[in-house]
Amino acid sequence: MQKLNFPQFEYRFKSTENKVSIFDVIRKKFIVLQPEEWVRQHCVHYLINEKKYPKSLINVEKELNINGLKKRYDIVIFNSNGSILLIVECKSYDITINQDTFDQIARYNLALNAEFLMVTNGINHYYCQMDTEAERYQFLRDIPNYKKV
């Protein structure tokens, strides 16, 4: 797999039926290793190990309903009160992040109402804070660490 622009972490692989899987510490199971999953797992470990978000507040690959369509978000981090702090959209490392990617996460945020958004392909990371009054997002250099939220 491609080297990503995230810190290294201890990962576990398993191979069955000619498929390689990686262990997901949030879902607590092995997931077939695809390029997007490689990015997602790096991002999860970054959020836990570098940004210090507790595993108990992180949700991975859950379904949501947007205008009658079933979609799946990649990563969501909750506040301790149950509201959503951060939505992360992960793309494969060979996908260019463009306006369509930001439109996608903005649509998800209409349903989820997060304060922060992150878009990554493992190489490039973009961070935004929502301005709900003006209905737009402001780009940031980084997302806050857990303790600072």
Side-chain angles (χ1 to χ4, degrees):
M1 284 284 159
Q2 169 82 31
K3 180 168 174 30
L4 302 178
N5 189 14
F6 279 114
Q8 292 293 316
F9 69 96
E10 292 288 322
Y11 42 80
R12 291 172 33 206
F13 290 129
K14 168 174 103 170
S15 186
T16 53
E17 300 175 16
N18 295 327
K19 289 183 183 174
V20 175
S21 297
I22 189 167
F23 189 75
D24 183 318
V25 297
I26 303 301
R27 292 178 275 185
K28 296 184 171 93
K29 64 181 183 177
F30 282 91
I31 307 297
V32 173
L33 185 58
Q34 301 287 339
E36 185 177 314
E37 191 62 43
W38 183 239
V39 173
R40 186 169 27 251
Q41 290 306 311
H42 275 77
C43 190
V44 164
H45 284 270
Y46 167 75
L47 293 167
I48 293 168
N49 299 323
E50 302 295 318
K51 293 298 183 176
K52 304 302 182 198
Y53 288 98
K55 290 180 195 175
S56 62
L57 297 179
I58 301 174
N59 228 327
V60 175
E61 280 243 296
K62 296 286 185 192
E63 193 173 276
L64 70 152
N65 193 324
I66 300 175
N67 297 328
L69 299 173
K70 291 182 179 183
K71 301 290 184 181
R72 293 182 79 76
Y73 60 72
D74 285 305
I75 303 168
V76 161
I77 297 182
F78 292 91
N79 286 304
S80 53
N81 68 5
S83 65
I84 296 178
L85 176 69
L86 169 70
I87 305 169
V88 182
E89 179 59 29
C90 299
K91 296 294 184 191
S92 172
Y93 45 77
D94 58 357
I95 300 286
T96 302
I97 294 172
N98 57 26
Q99 187 61 50
D100 290 341
T101 313
F102 286 100
D103 291 347
Q104 178 185 4
I105 199 169
R107 279 191 305 276
Y108 290 2
N109 202 36
L110 288 173
L112 299 173
N113 200 26
E115 183 177 352
F116 296 97
L117 307 177
M118 176 180 174
V119 175
T120 182
N121 63 3
I123 309 299
N124 300 302
H125 317 302
Y126 300 93
Y127 312 100
C128 308
Q129 184 169 15
M130 293 305 301
D131 179 348
T132 51
E133 297 280 321
E135 295 182 347
R136 64 184 186 94
Y137 43 81
Q138 176 183 353
F139 283 93
L140 305 172
R141 289 182 187 259
D142 202 353
I143 53 172
N145 290 340
Y146 176 68
K147 298 293 184 205
K148 295 180 183 174
V149 174

